[in-house]
Each structure stands twice: as structure tokens, then as C-alpha cells.
Amino acid sequence: HTAKRRVVVDKESHQPVSIALEVAAHYNARPQLGVEKRQESTIFHLRSFNNWIKSVLIGMHTKRDDKVLDLGCGKGGDLRKWAKAGIAELVGMDIAEISIKQARERYEAMPNARFKARFYAQDCFSISIKRTIQPQEYRANVVSMQFCMHYAFETERKARTMLQNVTEHLEVGGAFIGTIPDAYWLVKKLRSLKGNELEFGNSVYKVRFEQKDRWPVFGHMYWFTLHDAIDDCPEYLVHFPTFRRLATEYGLELLYRIPLHQYYVDALRRDPQYIELLYRMGVIDRDGKGPSIDEWEVSGLYLAFAFKKVREWVPDTTT
Ligand code: SAM
């Protein structure tokens, strides 16, 4: 069970060398699949489920004519969800240049898009996005970070830069929403392994930790593989109490943190229209086939969160 790869450590500082570029290279290299290829994929129903979750989340927190900032927007997979929500404006950012190019092309190919959109290739966790966003004082009603915020938990500094980027471009009263792997779920799985075992998974995913003796709040890395989507990519546990505490410092108050299986049950109980949406989005086929047991297990690995910006954040200039 020795790890296949190790985090590169800087010889002088003994700190892990940032893997942001490795992550970007990883996502840049993923081909954009056409509809047919997507339908053939073994994780077709899982992708559809994740899209369904994002649609519900976006629908819950977005109003007509909202301005939206989508950080880590990838190839623009949520463009149609934003269109459906009737937003007025979208700013999409992602560290992976090729993904941003594809997102822009996807937007330009949208028939009668009723919202304006612009896209930037930009690291959103290591540097301020202020200089990129025009105008600098741009304020969104919703900041969305889907399946990407955990990459910021490599260091406290990155997590803080990410939160500063969120709060500086979100109006008071606005929502900060996202989806991330559930660290409790991952740690529970890791702790259930015998002896020196560090790896678990099923036919569609694999998680490999490098050790289970230390539990750092930041930089707790594991390698993640999702069949047909993510190939041994380094990711970080998000220690949610720490995330929540830091977010409070930036004027963001937690509304909820809900594992996706629970989110699914709650949404269906709340509004039967979401049942029809399950079929429309391909989570369940018309012949009744849905996610496999293995796909369902992976979907339980994630959680959804929402924060509300409750007060203006003022940078601390005393330190
Ligand atoms: N949000 C999209 C979605 O839901 O389809 C993409 C999710 S994909 C799993 C994770 C994304 O996070 C990738 O597009 C990756 O390039 C982006 N990402 C990782 N680190 C980043 C960083 N430092 N700044 C901006 N984007 C980053």
C-alpha cells in the first residue's frame, strides 16, 4: 500500500510545492465529451445526479436578473442551469485555460442566451481576482463554487484568499453556494480500514490517503480517481468547522451544510416538481434505470453548503 506518488516538498521551506498547476493540467487534459459519449459513460447517472443537485441548489438561491460569479466554473457545464434561473450576468473563472476556452465557446453557441457572460482563466485561490474582474468593485448576488473549493484547502493562506475573493465580490445579503467532498464521510471510511490500509473505493471511484497518523486542518491530502472523469488527482479534506469559522471572519454566515443524499431526499419532499426534473435530466431513464449502487455510493461522498453574506468585510490592516 505504498503511495504511487508523493507530494513534492520544497527543499528549503520543507513546504509542499503548490499542486495548483498539476490540478489545472489535469482538468485541461480532460476531453470535452459529446452527448453520445456522455451517455455511454459508466458514470452517466452520477453526472446527471450531480447536475440535478446543482440545478436544485442554483434554483434555490438565485433570483431572476441576478449577477453570478462562478469560481472554478470548468468547461461551463452549469451554463444552462444559470440560463434557466433567468440570471442577467455571469462571470466565470477557472485556473484551467482550455476549460475556460471551452466554456466561452459553449456560451457563444447557446441559442438566444438571455444573459451576458465573460470568462477568465485565473487562479482563484492563490491571488486576488480583483484585477481580473472588471470593474474591480464588481458585486454578484450569488457566488457559486461547484466541486472545486476543496482544492483551496491545501493551505490556510489559500483558503483565506479564496474567501477574500468570494466576499469582496458578493453583495451583503447575497449567497455563497457550493459542493465539496464530505471530509467526515472520507475520514470515517479511512478509519474503518484495517492495519496499514490507506485505500478504498468501488468500481467507479478510488480514494488513496498517504498516511493516517496525522490529521492536519489544512493540506490533508488524498488522491482521487473517478472512472471516466478524474484520474488520480490530489485533493484536500475540508475541515468544515474550520471552513465555517474562517468564513465567519469574512462576513459569511452558514445557512446549511447537507450531504447530497440528504439534500436529494429533502428536495423531493419539499417540491414534487424535482421528481420530474430527475427524469428530464437523465438521473432516471424513462425505463426506470437510475444510478448503480457504486455510483450512488460516490454521490454520497459529497455535500452541499450555503452561506449568506451578513456584513461587509473589512481587511485587517493592523498586521
Ligand atoms: N464547477 C465545474 C462543474 O461543476 O462542472 C467544474 C468542477 S471540476 C470537478 C473542478 C474545477 O476546479 C476544475 O475546472 C479546476 O480547473 C478548477 N480549479 C482547481 N483549482 C483552481 C484554482 N486554484 N482556481 C480556479 N479554479 C480551480
Side-chain angles (χ1 to χ4, degrees):
H1 294 286
T2 46
K4 206 161 72 188
R5 284 194 290 181
R6 302 229 146 255
V7 180
V8 182
V9 175
D10 183 84
K11 284 197 182 97
E12 279 171 19
S13 67
H14 300 286
Q15 290 297 306
V17 171
S18 170
I19 51 137
L21 294 177
E22 186 172 344
V23 173
H26 176 91
Y27 282 102
N28 271 330
R30 295 303 311 174
Q32 191 171 28
L33 301 178
V35 177
E36 273 172 31
K37 277 263 173 279
R38 276 205 297 268
Q39 278 171 352
E40 281 168 19
S41 165
T42 45
I43 58 157
F44 173 74
H45 290 102
L46 172 65
R47 273 190 221 274
S48 306
F49 176 79
N50 287 344
N51 278 320
W52 181 89
I53 291 279
K54 289 192 283 181
S55 289
V56 177
L57 186 62
I58 285 171
M60 262 181 77
H61 295 279
T62 313
K63 304 176 303 303
R64 234 186 147 66
D65 294 330
D66 267 358
K67 294 199 308 190
V68 173
L69 175 59
D70 189 347
L71 300 180
C73 66
K75 300 170 173 39
D78 292 340
L79 282 169
R80 271 173 43 199
K81 301 177 191 74
W82 296 122
K84 270 212 119 134
I87 66 164
E89 204 179 305
L90 176 76
V91 176
M93 290 191 170
D94 196 287
I95 193 172
E97 239 170 273
I98 297 173
S99 299
I100 281 296
K101 192 169 159 273
Q102 290 168 344
R104 201 174 284 132
E105 286 167 3
R106 219 160 165 171
Y107 167 72
E108 280 160 9
M110 278 175 87
N112 337 307
R114 288 223 309 266
F115 63 97
K116 289 187 286 180
R118 49 198 163 97
F119 300 92
Y120 305 97
Q122 157 91 56
D123 185 335
C124 306
F125 306 155
S126 299
I127 37 177
S128 168
I129 58 173
K130 215 180 203 156
R131 289 207 194 101
T132 312
I133 286 193
Q134 291 301 330
Q136 283 195 5
E137 57 283 353
Y138 176 86
R139 287 277 170 121
N141 308 98
V142 177
V143 176
S144 173
M145 293 189 75
Q146 304 301 335
F147 298 103
C148 60
M149 197 205 69
H150 44 298
Y151 294 113
F153 274 66
E154 184 183 356
T155 60
E156 177 170 354
R157 194 191 172 108
K158 276 195 174 190
R160 284 186 177 276
T161 305
M162 176 274 294
L163 283 166
Q164 181 170 340
N165 283 333
V166 170
T167 205
E168 280 189 334
H169 298 289
L170 182 62
E171 64 160 23
V172 172
F176 168 37
I177 56 174
T179 34
I180 48 170
D182 181 350
Y184 288 126
W185 193 95
L186 288 162
V187 168
K188 211 165 128 190
K189 277 269 189 195
L190 177 64
R191 286 198 160 133
S192 72
L193 298 177
K194 291 189 211 98
N196 294 330
E197 280 179 36
L198 295 169
E199 202 176 295
F200 53 88
N202 63 26
S203 66
V204 290
Y205 86 102
K206 195 173 78 188
V207 168
R208 191 177 76 255
F209 281 84
E210 299 217 310
Q211 51 81 27
K212 53 179 172 183
D213 310 314
R214 287 175 290 107
W215 302 92
V217 169
F218 296 97
H220 196 152
M221 199 208 64
Y222 59 92
W223 300 94
F224 185 60
T225 298
L226 181 62
H227 189 77
D228 259 0
I230 299 177
D231 187 18
D232 213 24
C233 191
E235 300 198 349
Y236 299 94
L237 292 183
V238 176
H239 184 253
F240 209 92
T242 303
F243 172 37
R244 181 182 187 173
R245 182 176 52 76
L246 283 191
T248 312
E249 285 183 35
Y250 291 83
L252 304 161
E253 189 182 276
L254 182 69
L255 296 177
Y256 58 79
R257 156 209 183 281
I258 306 177
L260 293 200
H261 285 174
Q262 188 62 47
Y263 201 85
Y264 164 79
V265 173
D266 292 351
L268 293 181
R269 278 203 188 125
R270 206 171 46 239
D271 194 339
Q273 69 159 342
Y274 293 132
I275 299 173
E276 177 53 28
L277 193 62
L278 282 175
Y279 288 93
R280 276 215 311 276
M281 295 188 73
V283 185
I284 305 172
D285 301 340
R286 291 289 162 186
D287 57 12
K289 189 168 170 282
S292 66
I293 290 174
D294 283 3
E295 285 179 284
W296 189 245
E297 184 182 338
V298 197
S299 65
L301 194 153
Y302 294 90
L303 63 81
F305 65 79
F307 288 83
K308 181 177 175 180
K309 181 162 168 183
V310 288
R311 61 180 164 76
E312 217 37 273
W313 173 73
V314 186
D316 182 1
T317 49
T318 56
T319 50

